[in-house]
Short mmCIF file of all heavy atoms in Angstrom, two decimals:
data_model
loop_
_atom_site.label_atom_id
_atom_site.label_comp_id
_atom_site.label_asym_id
_atom_site.label_seq_id
_atom_site.Cartn_x
_atom_site.Cartn_y
_atom_site.Cartn_z
N GLN E 30 21.52 14.56 13.34
CA GLN E 30 22.41 14.71 14.49
C GLN E 30 22.95 13.35 14.94
O GLN E 30 24.11 13.25 15.32
CB GLN E 30 21.69 15.39 15.63
CG GLN E 30 21.44 16.86 15.38
CD GLN E 30 20.71 17.52 16.53
OE1 GLN E 30 20.14 16.85 17.38
NE2 GLN E 30 20.73 18.85 16.54
N ALA E 31 22.11 12.33 14.90
CA ALA E 31 22.56 11.00 15.29
C ALA E 31 23.63 10.50 14.33
O ALA E 31 24.62 9.90 14.76
CB ALA E 31 21.38 10.04 15.33
N ASN E 32 23.46 10.76 13.04
CA ASN E 32 24.47 10.34 12.06
C ASN E 32 25.78 11.09 12.28
O ASN E 32 26.85 10.50 12.14
CB ASN E 32 23.95 10.57 10.64
CG ASN E 32 22.87 9.58 10.25
OD1 ASN E 32 22.75 8.52 10.85
ND2 ASN E 32 22.08 9.95 9.26
N ARG E 33 25.69 12.36 12.61
CA ARG E 33 26.91 13.13 12.85
C ARG E 33 27.62 12.64 14.09
O ARG E 33 28.85 12.57 14.13
CB ARG E 33 26.57 14.61 12.98
CG ARG E 33 26.20 15.22 11.63
CD ARG E 33 25.49 16.51 11.74
NE ARG E 33 26.35 17.64 12.02
CZ ARG E 33 25.88 18.85 12.29
NH1 ARG E 33 24.58 19.07 12.31
NH2 ARG E 33 26.70 19.84 12.54
N LEU E 34 26.86 12.28 15.11
CA LEU E 34 27.45 11.74 16.33
C LEU E 34 28.13 10.41 16.05
O LEU E 34 29.26 10.17 16.49
CB LEU E 34 26.39 11.59 17.43
CG LEU E 34 26.89 10.99 18.74
CD1 LEU E 34 27.93 11.89 19.37
CD2 LEU E 34 25.73 10.75 19.68
N GLU E 35 27.46 9.54 15.32
CA GLU E 35 28.04 8.24 14.97
C GLU E 35 29.32 8.42 14.17
O GLU E 35 30.32 7.74 14.42
CB GLU E 35 27.04 7.40 14.18
CG GLU E 35 25.88 6.90 15.01
CD GLU E 35 24.84 6.18 14.16
OE1 GLU E 35 25.05 6.03 12.94
OE2 GLU E 35 23.83 5.77 14.74
N LEU E 36 29.32 9.33 13.20
CA LEU E 36 30.51 9.59 12.39
C LEU E 36 31.64 10.15 13.26
O LEU E 36 32.79 9.73 13.13
CB LEU E 36 30.18 10.55 11.25
CG LEU E 36 31.36 10.93 10.36
CD1 LEU E 36 31.92 9.70 9.66
CD2 LEU E 36 30.95 11.99 9.36
N SER E 37 31.31 11.07 14.15
CA SER E 37 32.32 11.65 15.03
C SER E 37 32.95 10.59 15.92
O SER E 37 34.18 10.55 16.08
CB SER E 37 31.71 12.74 15.91
OG SER E 37 31.22 13.79 15.13
N LEU E 38 32.14 9.74 16.49
CA LEU E 38 32.66 8.68 17.36
C LEU E 38 33.48 7.67 16.57
O LEU E 38 34.51 7.19 17.06
CB LEU E 38 31.52 7.99 18.10
CG LEU E 38 30.80 8.85 19.14
CD1 LEU E 38 29.60 8.09 19.70
CD2 LEU E 38 31.74 9.27 20.24
N PHE E 39 33.06 7.37 15.36
CA PHE E 39 33.83 6.45 14.51
C PHE E 39 35.19 7.03 14.17
O PHE E 39 36.22 6.36 14.28
CB PHE E 39 33.04 6.13 13.24
CG PHE E 39 33.80 5.27 12.27
CD1 PHE E 39 34.01 3.93 12.53
CD2 PHE E 39 34.31 5.81 11.10
CE1 PHE E 39 34.72 3.14 11.65
CE2 PHE E 39 35.02 5.03 10.21
CZ PHE E 39 35.23 3.69 10.49
N LEU E 40 35.24 8.31 13.79
CA LEU E 40 36.50 8.96 13.45
C LEU E 40 37.41 9.07 14.68
O LEU E 40 38.63 8.91 14.57
CB LEU E 40 36.25 10.33 12.84
CG LEU E 40 35.57 10.31 11.47
CD1 LEU E 40 35.26 11.73 11.00
CD2 LEU E 40 36.44 9.59 10.44
N LEU E 41 36.83 9.31 15.83
CA LEU E 41 37.61 9.35 17.07
C LEU E 41 38.22 7.98 17.35
O LEU E 41 39.40 7.87 17.69
CB LEU E 41 36.73 9.78 18.24
CG LEU E 41 37.40 9.83 19.60
CD1 LEU E 41 38.48 10.89 19.62
CD2 LEU E 41 36.36 10.09 20.67
N ARG E 42 37.45 6.93 17.18
CA ARG E 42 37.94 5.57 17.41
C ARG E 42 39.06 5.22 16.43
O ARG E 42 40.08 4.64 16.82
CB ARG E 42 36.79 4.57 17.27
CG ARG E 42 37.20 3.15 17.58
CD ARG E 42 36.02 2.24 17.54
NE ARG E 42 35.15 2.56 18.66
CZ ARG E 42 33.95 2.02 18.84
NH1 ARG E 42 33.46 1.17 17.95
NH2 ARG E 42 33.22 2.33 19.87
N ILE E 43 38.91 5.59 15.17
CA ILE E 43 39.95 5.31 14.17
C ILE E 43 41.23 6.09 14.49
O ILE E 43 42.33 5.55 14.40
CB ILE E 43 39.44 5.67 12.75
CG1 ILE E 43 38.32 4.73 12.34
CG2 ILE E 43 40.57 5.65 11.73
CD1 ILE E 43 38.73 3.28 12.23
N SER E 44 41.09 7.36 14.89
CA SER E 44 42.28 8.15 15.18
C SER E 44 43.02 7.62 16.42
O SER E 44 44.26 7.58 16.43
CB SER E 44 41.92 9.62 15.35
OG SER E 44 41.06 9.81 16.45
N VAL E 45 42.30 7.20 17.45
CA VAL E 45 42.95 6.61 18.62
C VAL E 45 43.64 5.31 18.23
O VAL E 45 44.77 5.04 18.66
CB VAL E 45 41.93 6.39 19.76
CG1 VAL E 45 42.51 5.53 20.87
CG2 VAL E 45 41.45 7.72 20.31
N PHE E 46 43.01 4.50 17.39
CA PHE E 46 43.63 3.26 16.91
C PHE E 46 44.93 3.56 16.17
O PHE E 46 45.94 2.89 16.40
CB PHE E 46 42.66 2.51 16.00
CG PHE E 46 43.31 1.36 15.27
CD1 PHE E 46 43.56 0.17 15.92
CD2 PHE E 46 43.67 1.49 13.94
CE1 PHE E 46 44.18 -0.89 15.25
CE2 PHE E 46 44.28 0.45 13.27
CZ PHE E 46 44.53 -0.75 13.93
N LEU E 47 44.93 4.55 15.30
CA LEU E 47 46.14 4.88 14.54
C LEU E 47 47.26 5.36 15.44
O LEU E 47 48.42 4.98 15.25
CB LEU E 47 45.82 5.92 13.46
CG LEU E 47 44.97 5.42 12.30
CD1 LEU E 47 44.60 6.57 11.37
CD2 LEU E 47 45.69 4.33 11.53
#
Side-chain angles (χ1 to χ4, degrees):
Q30 288 179 344
N32 288 340
R33 287 163 78 187
L34 178 62
E35 289 175 3
L36 178 63
S37 298
L38 292 174
F39 176 72
L40 293 175
L41 178 65
R42 184 175 291 173
I43 293 297
S44 63
V45 169
F46 169 78
L47 290 174

